[in-house]
Amino acid sequence: MLAGLGMQFRSLEYGDEPKSETPFRIFAALLHRTLGDFTDQLLFAASVAEMFPEARLDVCFRPDRPFKPEIVSLAPQVTSSWETKNRMPIDLFDTAGMRPIVGPEAWYVAGCDAPDLVLTPSMCEREKLGYFEPSARFRIPGSDHWDARLRDAVGDGGFCILHYREAGYEFSQAGTTRNIDTWEVEPVVDVLLRQGVRVVRIGHPEMAPLRQRDGYVDLCAAPFMLQACAISHARFFMEVSPSGPYAIANGFGVPMARCNALIPSGPSTPDSIVLARPVLDGKGKNVTADIVAGGLNPIQFITDNSDHRLGANSIEQIASVAADLIAATEAVSGWRGQPVEAPDDAVEPPFTWPIPKRARHRIAV
């Protein structure tokens, strides 16, 4: 019957789509709370964005820490950021008609509802930052202003950044494993000064004061952006116990030493070193090297092996790591320069997903 109507039945072919001029859109849900985790995810998202000649990076976050908006402002790769104290419904990505939930008009005008890639925290592990060669670089907004303030505070000579975790911080997580006291830090300052490196301490205003001496400057009470500016110009970042600000150093490509580390990760630069907190067996023997070689971290191992305990890095170990880092950064004689922007005609690199884990730093045990 239909044949008599002269109808023809043919296969359908869509053909090649024309090359789109629309930039690659990335949306990153920055859901972590702590400074280090939050910054690591932002740096990961920024690094993914830089893998494309043109990309748009939109981020959202909950302003439950005062430093979050300032950290986001460090990333020039971010096109738009969305702060919300409420829950962000997944329906905001609905691009069909009759949406059950409708967001602000600006959301749709910016194209945030139609990303090509959505990054969640589990996709942005810090262990994967070493994949990017190099990772994205942060920049200080209004750098002239903050440079002038930093020069007033520390002068023109080179310096390193000192930081560690101490009790008293308003947003500290439960547990004291990472906390150390000033008596454990004072010898580290002396070691650095004896090796000709000035020391600038950062942190929170409640941190206990260290002994004043020539070559030591305390910026713990300074604004967050001034401390970030100091990190950006530092010769290296010396962390005596694990704490979140190390991640800011990653964003500026500043080599670091992570001492008394509880996990074997963190840095994303080849000159950086992680000095693991020692694990001691029931007889007091240091078995850290075997644990690290087995792919475990000290906390994980101690949890599973109650007959072992955590020790602490000796000042001799920390001094040895500092000497290595000083030698590796010998070319930085004054302030470290701000990162040079990538050329606009950068060639698109190969892109692998999921991003593999890759370590580019060294382990000291």
Side-chain angles (χ1 to χ4, degrees):
M1 185 83 175
L2 291 177
L5 299 177
M7 298 184 66
Q8 297 181 359
F9 297 87
R10 301 176 179 176
S11 60
L12 174 63
E13 296 181 3
Y14 285 112
D16 294 332
E17 293 188 33
K19 184 177 180 180
S20 174
E21 299 299 325
T22 304
F24 187 79
R25 295 179 179 273
I26 303 168
F27 187 87
L30 307 179
L31 304 181
H32 286 309
R33 283 150 298 286
T34 65
L35 191 155
D37 292 335
F38 182 83
T39 305
D40 282 336
Q41 192 192 355
L42 173 63
L43 182 59
F44 184 98
S47 300
V48 171
E50 288 199 345
M51 297 187 77
F52 298 88
E54 291 187 27
R56 179 185 180 96
L57 175 59
D58 305 300
V59 304
C60 74
F61 64 92
R62 184 184 296 272
D64 51 6
R65 300 289 190 275
F67 50 71
K68 283 187 174 181
E70 291 178 295
I71 290 177
V72 171
S73 75
L74 295 176
Q77 300 82 3
V78 172
T79 307
S80 69
S81 63
W82 301 81
E83 293 185 38
T84 176
K85 295 181 179 179
N86 302 313
R87 294 177 179 173
M88 185 172 182
I90 197 70
D91 302 79
L92 289 179
F93 296 105
D94 187 351
T95 56
M98 297 180 291
R99 302 186 188 101
I101 295 177
V102 178
E105 182 64 21
W107 173 262
Y108 302 103
V109 171
C112 295
D113 61 320
D116 298 295
L117 175 65
V118 176
L119 296 175
T120 61
S122 65
M123 301 164 72
C124 306
E125 297 176 280
R126 65 168 60 90
E127 291 84 358
K128 298 178 178 180
L129 283 171
Y131 172 83
F132 305 101
E133 299 185 66
S135 60
R137 290 291 179 258
F138 289 164
R139 298 190 72 83
I140 300 291
S143 58
D144 289 346
H145 167 77
W146 293 110
D147 282 356
R149 290 193 58 176
L150 183 63
R151 188 166 286 106
D152 289 340
V154 307
D156 293 316
F159 57 89
C160 75
I161 291 292
L162 175 74
H163 184 64
Y164 50 93
R165 193 177 190 269
E166 185 180 88
Y169 181 49
E170 178 183 1
F171 300 107
S172 288
Q173 294 177 309
T176 60
T177 305
R178 292 184 288 153
N179 293 347
I180 60 174
D181 295 319
T182 55
W183 65 266
E184 300 173 85
V185 179
E186 295 281 12
V188 179
V189 178
D190 291 334
V191 162
L192 293 167
L193 292 176
R194 282 198 300 268
Q195 298 192 59
V197 180
R198 294 196 305 146
V199 177
V200 175
R201 185 177 76 153
I202 63 166
H204 57 89
E206 295 78 21
M207 293 185 76
L210 296 179
R211 177 169 51 85
Q212 293 298 320
R213 64 207 92 172
D214 290 340
Y216 168 72
V217 179
D218 195 336
L219 291 183
C220 286
F224 174 88
M225 199 58 73
L226 182 58
Q227 296 192 43
C229 183
I231 294 173
S232 75
H233 290 301
R235 179 171 174 175
F236 58 85
F237 189 102
M238 173 60 70
E239 184 183 64
V240 188
S241 70
S243 188
Y246 82 89
I248 302 293
N250 267 342
F252 289 106
V254 176
M256 70 183 71
R258 300 203 77 189
C259 302
N260 286 299
L262 297 173
I263 57 175
S265 60
S268 62
T269 55
D271 291 331
S272 295
I273 304 170
V274 170
L275 176 60
R277 187 167 175 178
V279 175
L280 308 177
D281 66 13
K283 297 180 179 180
K285 179 183 176 181
N286 189 331
V287 295
T288 313
D290 294 335
I291 293 171
V292 172
L296 300 177
N297 63 61
I299 287 294
Q300 178 184 350
F301 187 86
I302 290 291
T303 301
D304 297 335
N305 297 271
S306 58
D307 57 332
H308 288 62
R309 61 184 176 85
L310 285 174
N313 293 147
S314 67
I315 186 60
E316 290 78 17
Q317 289 176 313
I318 295 175
S320 178
V321 167
D324 189 290
L325 200 53
I326 289 170
T329 58
E330 186 177 9
V332 185
S333 57
W335 282 20
R336 181 178 294 274
Q338 285 282 303
V340 178
E341 294 184 11
D344 294 334
D345 58 351
V347 178
E348 181 177 343
F351 185 67
T352 301
W353 197 268
I355 294 291
K357 294 182 180 181
R358 183 171 299 166
R360 302 180 66 210
H361 59 277
R362 296 164 290 158
I363 292 285
V365 295

